[in-house]
Amino acid sequence: MTKGFVDAQWEFPLGRAVQQKSCEGRWHHKGMPHAVELIEGNMIHGPGGRMRLLKDISGDRITVIDQGKEFVGKRTHDQIVWDDGAVWVRLPPVTTFDGHWAHKLHPEMVATVMGTKLQMADGTVTTLVPHGVDGFYILLNGEQHHAQIRGNFLYWSGGDVWIHVQSMRSEFDGRWQHKINPETVELIHRGLIHRPDGTVAKITPQGAGKFTAELSGQVLEAELVDGEISWSDGETWFAVKAPEPLNGKWSYNRDPTIVLEICGDVVKKPDGSTVKILEQTESRLFIVHAGKRLQANLHNNDLLWQDGAVWSRLEVPQPECLLPDLEGQAEVAVDGDHCDSGQEKEKEEGAQATDLLGMQEAKPSDEDFDPLKGMAEKAAPNLAEVFTASPEVETNA
């Protein structure tokens, strides 16, 4: 898979000036610099994950209910003076964490941070609350997940690691096969080389078609010419296409009126919208939704999902045999790389799929990927919600 996961991620205009809108932004209690409040929308995010709902916002005046009492604050320049005598002082906007972050183990999963907003790999947006000088936390499913920045890495409290990557894809992005050892395939994605042994090497551009990288302790020069990367040590890498064996049309839960189409790195939904594919192999399909890595296994001509949903491959019907001598010799063409249309192959055997309307919770397996390990065990969203409804955007998680 050579493309990033999210179609449109936030980009950062050069020289952008951050303008504070009324009372929104970060504030610390006067005389208590470590007590930081974040006002965003109609919420105040306080220390320790404490959240309060704003009752009213009118110009430079805000009203909040805290522990059953009403407090009114008025903004004067860079301070908010509350009617109980408390004073909050504005802090500069957060830019420390801004940028694109790829999961170390799954580099196609790229999240984006801009100010106090974190866009997950599937497009879900949540609020980032700064914690200390080099960390922050987010809330997912009611649980706090802390992250700390160290150089070009974000270390999560659950053990996951995110790597800061280039904002834009480069000409070197893709899968590359060693000429001497064809079984070895490297993945270059957003300025990083993800090696088969799990290590990651950063590439440094050296002009058009050239870069350097440290591999196995040695700094090497590389040049891209005619789809090949030639290295200064004599090695050559060839561009290879990610396998797409599952391309084609599939019926959802054996319902011929709900047809999904797998085309390369997306699944086309019946309403015309798409869901990005993280990876497809000869026998498995992976997508990401609501922070979860969801998996389906191929069994015969069915994709069996974790929640019990079943996608059945639609096959091109056999042509009617006009010559008796040729009866039984017609071959069935299965949808492949061209994603052609077809009809559903009815299957009599096997357990019937459940939860067409998405009312049954999925039961993730131990192999499921959660971008923030350490989360409380919660069921992943049902696939019916993913493919029969438009994804929701979480704004105050």
Side-chain angles (χ1 to χ4, degrees):
M1 181 169 186
T2 61
K3 298 181 181 179
F5 181 73
V6 175
D7 266 336
Q9 289 181 313
W10 297 327
E11 300 298 343
F12 303 91
L14 295 177
R16 67 183 174 100
V18 179
Q19 296 181 351
Q20 298 290 64
K21 184 173 63 175
S22 186
C23 296
E24 289 199 352
R26 296 194 309 143
W27 305 83
H28 74 81
H29 294 222
K30 190 173 183 178
M32 301 174 62
H34 297 292
V36 178
E37 310 274 358
L38 171 64
I39 300 178
E40 188 172 60
N42 64 345
M43 298 294 298
I44 299 180
H45 302 264
R50 184 184 180 195
M51 300 176 67
R52 287 150 289 172
L53 182 67
L54 290 174
K55 179 181 178 181
D56 182 56
I57 306 174
S58 178
D60 292 333
R61 297 177 64 88
I62 60 175
T63 304
V64 64
I65 305 296
D66 189 2
Q67 297 180 355
K69 297 181 180 180
E70 182 175 298
F71 298 90
V72 178
K74 178 175 175 57
R75 184 178 73 90
T76 304
H77 301 297
D78 287 333
Q79 291 188 348
I80 295 179
V81 180
W82 294 91
D83 56 6
D84 66 347
V87 177
W88 293 2
V89 180
R90 187 186 291 279
L91 287 168
V94 178
T95 59
T96 305
F97 313 106
D98 280 4
H100 301 276
W101 300 87
H103 193 279
K104 184 176 181 180
L105 298 181
H106 303 279
E108 292 89 353
M109 295 182 62
V110 179
T112 304
V113 176
M114 182 184 289
T116 58
K117 288 295 186 181
L118 169 61
Q119 180 187 17
M120 306 296 283
D122 63 348
T124 300
V125 178
T126 187
T127 298
L128 174 156
V129 182
H131 182 72
V133 297
D134 59 356
F136 65 86
Y137 67 85
I138 62 175
L139 289 175
L140 288 178
N141 298 322
E143 298 289 331
Q144 285 190 21
H145 306 280
H146 292 259
Q148 186 176 30
I149 190 170
R150 301 176 193 167
N152 289 321
F153 298 88
L154 273 178
Y155 293 89
W156 289 91
S157 52
D160 279 356
V161 178
W162 291 3
I163 307 173
H164 192 268
V165 295
Q166 297 175 0
S167 61
M168 301 298 292
R169 300 173 182 88
S170 72
E171 58 186 324
F172 311 115
D173 281 14
R175 296 163 60 93
W176 301 89
Q177 183 182 65
H178 288 220
K179 179 179 181 180
I180 297 177
N181 185 10
E183 292 78 15
T184 302
V185 177
E186 315 269 356
L187 172 65
I188 299 180
H189 186 66
R190 292 180 182 256
L192 298 174
I193 303 176
H194 299 266
R195 315 214 66 195
D197 61 2
T199 60
V200 177
K202 183 178 181 179
I203 71 174
T204 303
Q206 300 293 328
K210 298 181 179 181
F211 67 90
T212 60
E214 182 177 345
L215 303 181
S216 303
Q218 183 180 4
V219 178
L220 301 174
E221 298 177 353
E223 183 175 8
L224 176 62
V225 179
D226 296 331
E228 299 180 5
I229 296 179
S230 299
W231 291 89
S232 55
D233 65 350
E235 178 65 278
T236 301
W237 294 0
F238 294 98
V240 292
K241 185 179 179 180
E244 299 175 349
L246 302 179
N247 278 1
K249 291 190 175 182
W250 304 74
S251 66
Y252 180 82
N253 280 353
R254 301 187 175 90
D255 185 340
T257 66
I258 303 179
V259 178
L260 308 166
E261 186 174 8
I262 300 176
C263 282
D265 63 347
V266 297
V267 176
K268 295 181 180 179
K269 297 163 59 177
D271 62 1
S273 61
T274 61
V275 172
K276 277 289 185 177
I277 293 173
L278 177 60
E279 181 184 2
Q280 62 165 296
T281 68
E282 293 289 341
S283 60
R284 292 182 180 181
L285 184 69
F286 300 90
I287 66 169
V288 175
H289 182 68
K292 290 285 186 180
R293 185 173 189 254
L294 305 179
Q295 173 183 327
N297 295 319
L298 182 65
H299 178 69
N300 295 328
N301 282 322
D302 289 337
L303 278 172
L304 307 180
W305 290 91
Q306 301 160 222
D307 68 343
V310 178
W311 298 7
S312 298
R313 190 189 289 273
L314 297 179
E315 298 180 341
V316 177
Q318 291 186 356
E320 182 179 356
C321 185
L322 301 179
L323 300 176
D325 292 341
L326 299 180
E327 185 175 0
Q329 297 182 15
E331 294 182 354
V332 177
V334 179
D335 287 350
D337 294 338
H338 300 290
C339 299
D340 295 329
S341 62
Q343 296 180 346
E344 176 185 10
K345 176 185 177 182
E346 297 292 344
K347 297 177 68 69
E348 301 295 336
E349 68 277 8
Q352 293 296 315
T354 59
D355 190 28
L356 179 62
L357 299 180
M359 302 300 296
Q360 180 186 49
E361 292 186 346
K363 297 178 175 58
S365 68
D366 292 337
E367 296 180 353
D368 290 345
F369 166 72
D370 187 334
L372 299 178
K373 294 179 181 177
M375 291 177 61
E377 293 295 328
K378 294 184 180 291
N382 192 274
L383 290 175
E385 299 174 347
V386 181
F387 294 101
T388 61
S390 299
E392 298 180 356
V393 175
E394 179 179 297
T395 58
N396 60 350

